[in-house]
Amino acid sequence: MSDRLAIPYWFLNTDDFVRLFRASQGVQRPVPLEALRLARNESAVRDAATILRTDLVHELNRIWSLSSKDEKTSKDVRDLASGLLNRLDMEDVAGGWESLGLDKGTIIEAVTAVEQEAASHIDQNSRTGDTYPKVLPADARQRIQTAIDPTYGQLTGTALGGPARAGVISADSPVFFD
């Protein structure tokens, strides 16, 4: 007879997984939470709202992750924001805005603010045209987080690096069951 208690993985909630993987509050915590949400909400149908939500959460996580590094990432953050702006205008996500209850203009404004903030930390050689990205200072990182936090919170029920809120689609409240 075994004295160990065996708990099936599907019985664990997101906080249990965060503790299990020792994910830090900042950049690491959103990764297992989004992976669990995707796994628990997997469906055969990928409608515009699902694609839009997945792309937004993924790209906002990438922007936040890159902006919080102590490396010369200003150009990479600017390029991610530019790519996300282009993605938001594509046809396959056009029908997802209303389903998710998102205001496209507000999100475009927020991502544009990120793009401009990151671009302001890139030096350019006027003679050669070469660009030289710089490390994003603390105040720039805070402005980037402030710009994307409302959208991220609306999509995930949590602020970047914060605890989840009840009543929002999350890894603990799957919306699809087969």
Side-chain angles (χ1 to χ4, degrees), residues 3 6 9 25 58 73 84-85 96 102 118-119 126 129 146 148 158 165 172-173:
D3 290 346
Y9 73 90
Q25 282 289 78
H58 179 74
T73 60
L84 181 53
L85 287 170
L102 299 174
S126 58
T146 300
I148 62 178
T158 183
R165 292 189 318 260
D172 284 333
S173 63

Side-chain angles (χ1 to χ4, degrees), residues 2 33 52 58 61 72 89 93 104 111 135 151:
S2 175
L33 294 182
L52 176 61
H58 179 74
N61 273 326
K72 297 179 179 180
D89 283 332
V93 297
K104 184 178 178 181
V111 177
V135 173
T151 301

Side-chain angles (χ1 to χ4, degrees), residues 1-135:
M1 175 171 250
S2 175
D3 290 346
R4 295 185 308 166
L5 173 65
I7 300 174
Y9 73 90
W10 49 263
F11 192 73
L12 302 174
N13 67 20
T14 55
D15 289 332
D16 297 330
F17 276 101
V18 168
R19 282 191 290 275
L20 178 68
F21 291 111
R22 296 182 180 172
S24 68
Q25 282 289 78
V27 175
Q28 293 176 339
R29 190 174 190 275
V31 175
L33 294 182
E34 184 62 9
L36 286 169
R37 190 203 59 76
L38 288 171
R40 291 178 176 170
N41 289 308
E42 190 63 37
S43 75
V45 178
R46 292 206 16 111
D47 62 351
T50 304
I51 294 168
L52 176 61
R53 185 191 181 286
T54 301
D55 287 354
L56 276 169
V57 169
H58 179 74
E59 292 304 312
L60 293 176
N61 273 326
R62 289 179 66 200
I63 287 170
W64 176 240
S65 176
L66 270 177
S67 68
S68 44
K69 289 185 178 183
D70 286 332
E71 299 171 14
K72 297 179 179 180
T73 60
S74 54
K75 184 177 181 299
D76 295 330
V77 170
R78 183 205 60 195
D79 292 347
L80 279 176
S82 296
L84 181 53
L85 287 170
N86 292 333
R87 177 70 179 116
L88 297 178
D89 283 332
M90 292 184 175
E91 286 298 316
D92 64 329
V93 297
W97 294 100
E98 190 173 324
S99 299
L100 289 175
L102 299 174
D103 178 36
K104 184 178 178 181
T106 302
I107 294 173
I108 287 175
E109 187 178 303
V111 177
T112 300
V114 170
E115 181 183 43
Q116 291 170 349
E117 182 64 43
S120 71
H121 297 281
I122 300 172
D123 289 334
Q124 188 160 3
N125 184 324
S126 58
R127 188 174 52 82
T128 64
D130 293 336
T131 58
Y132 302 99
K134 298 189 291 187
V135 173

